[in-house]
Amino acid sequence: MNVIEKTFEKKLKEKLSKMPVENLLSEMTNNSYYFPYNIWKKYFDKKSIESGKWISWFATREAEKITDLEQAQTLKKIIENKNKNTEIRRKSFFCLGHLSKNTRNKELFEYLINYLKSEPEEIQETIFASIRNAEKPIEYNLKPIIEILKNGKIGMKTSAAVALKNSENPEIELILLNSFQNEKNKHLQEMIASTLRTLGTEKSLYILEEKLKIAKGRDYKYYIKNAIEGIKERINTNANTVY
């Protein structure tokens, strides 16, 4: 990357990091290039600039790092205002999800997933994307996610399965295994296997190993094998941990 481009990128990142959340939400919808090509066009090939990242990409990366709990009330007000710009409201769900993840905040997490019952699929997908990597202690309420896993459309079932990653509730493993055995959609089974990799126990190993014996398709086998290896590694790590 050219030094001039790096300078513009650095300044943009610094600017975004200091923005109030309301302004950051707007920048998350800004599909302008971060580099002002029209000013510097005699020095750069236009195609190389247009293949770069939009301001919205950098703003979204900044939103993923949010940790200031004082921003929660602002985000809630936007979410609760159904007349708010649809895209800004959706980005607010995204920010609040990452805030709950980054601060391990149970109240914010459960506030967010309760909206799964009433919001359209686009918002549900955004909520799932923002919490999928969150640690989910045993006391977290995951029922709205489980409901979609059991009764949603196939695409939403898949997103729900991924959103259950890192749950510490042993019942989640059983629910996922039940879906894995009963669902016929291979992609959904792959995503369930991916989630089981993060929380599965010996219960999962037998079922996954039996499935691997008859599995067909390179990607399908990969997900199941990867889940088996991940579970075994985690079990061995826990067994060797000295307290």
Side-chain angles (χ1 to χ4, degrees):
M1 183 186 290
N2 185 285
V3 65
I4 299 176
E5 291 178 81
K6 285 184 178 179
T7 300
F8 276 101
E9 180 176 321
K10 181 180 179 181
K11 287 184 177 180
L12 175 61
K13 288 179 177 178
E14 290 175 353
K15 178 182 176 182
L16 292 170
S17 69
K18 298 174 183 177
M19 274 187 180
V21 71
E22 303 97 312
N23 295 357
L24 183 63
L25 289 167
S26 295
E27 294 301 325
M28 289 172 73
T29 67
N30 186 348
N31 290 334
S32 299
Y33 292 103
Y34 76 95
F35 186 83
Y37 168 76
N38 288 335
I39 297 174
W40 298 88
K41 58 186 176 182
K42 67 180 180 179
Y43 298 106
F44 297 98
D45 171 51
K46 186 175 183 181
K47 288 183 179 179
S48 69
I49 300 302
E50 291 187 340
S51 65
K53 302 179 181 75
W54 291 345
I55 291 173
S56 59
W57 186 90
F58 290 99
T60 300
R61 302 290 78 76
E62 186 62 36
E64 289 171 345
K65 299 184 289 185
I66 186 170
T67 57
D68 183 3
L69 286 169
E70 291 185 3
Q71 307 286 5
Q73 201 57 38
T74 299
L75 293 168
K76 285 183 178 182
K77 285 181 180 179
I78 295 172
I79 287 170
E80 290 165 11
N81 182 3
K82 293 293 183 76
N83 295 319
K84 193 70 177 179
N85 175 282
T86 302
E87 194 63 11
I88 293 294
R89 186 167 177 267
R90 187 174 71 83
K91 300 298 185 183
S92 297
F93 279 103
F94 182 87
C95 288
L96 195 65
H98 280 282
L99 181 58
S100 75
K101 171 179 67 70
N102 296 338
T103 59
R104 292 177 65 96
N105 189 293
K106 179 177 181 288
E107 183 271 325
L108 290 182
F109 181 92
E110 294 186 352
Y111 170 90
L112 197 67
I113 67 163
N114 280 332
Y115 274 91
L116 292 171
K117 305 170 186 176
S118 58
E119 293 295 327
E121 289 184 3
E122 185 179 28
I123 297 292
Q124 291 177 350
E125 288 280 14
T126 297
I127 293 172
F128 285 146
S130 68
I131 64 170
R132 63 189 172 201
N133 292 321
E135 298 294 328
K136 303 170 183 76
I138 192 169
E139 66 271 16
Y140 275 34
N141 175 26
L142 303 176
K143 288 180 181 178
I145 305 176
I146 295 167
E147 179 63 24
I148 293 175
L149 175 65
K150 290 181 176 179
N151 301 310
K153 295 178 182 178
I154 192 65
M156 297 311 301
K157 285 184 175 184
T158 303
S159 297
V162 177
L164 290 169
K165 281 184 176 181
N166 302 316
S167 171
E168 296 175 8
N169 188 335
E171 292 183 8
I172 297 301
E173 179 183 20
L174 301 178
I175 291 167
L176 287 166
L177 287 174
N178 184 63
S179 292
F180 182 81
Q181 291 175 295
N182 292 324
E183 295 285 355
K184 304 302 180 185
N185 184 280
K186 277 193 169 184
H187 182 57
L188 174 53
Q189 289 181 329
E190 289 171 352
M191 294 302 99
I192 292 173
S194 178
T195 296
L196 287 171
R197 188 181 193 278
T198 71
L199 56 83
T201 64
E202 289 87 349
K203 297 184 184 75
S204 295
L205 283 179
Y206 174 76
I207 292 172
L208 291 169
E209 287 171 342
E210 289 301 305
K211 178 64 74 172
L212 185 59
K213 292 176 183 178
I214 59 172
K216 295 181 180 180
R218 183 179 64 181
D219 290 346
Y220 189 59
K221 288 180 179 179
Y222 167 80
Y223 276 99
I224 296 175
K225 185 177 180 181
N226 190 254
I228 291 169
E229 291 173 351
I231 293 169
K232 286 182 175 178
E233 181 180 345
R234 204 177 65 258
I235 289 173
N236 289 335
T237 299
N238 291 340
N240 293 328
T241 300
V242 178
Y243 294 95

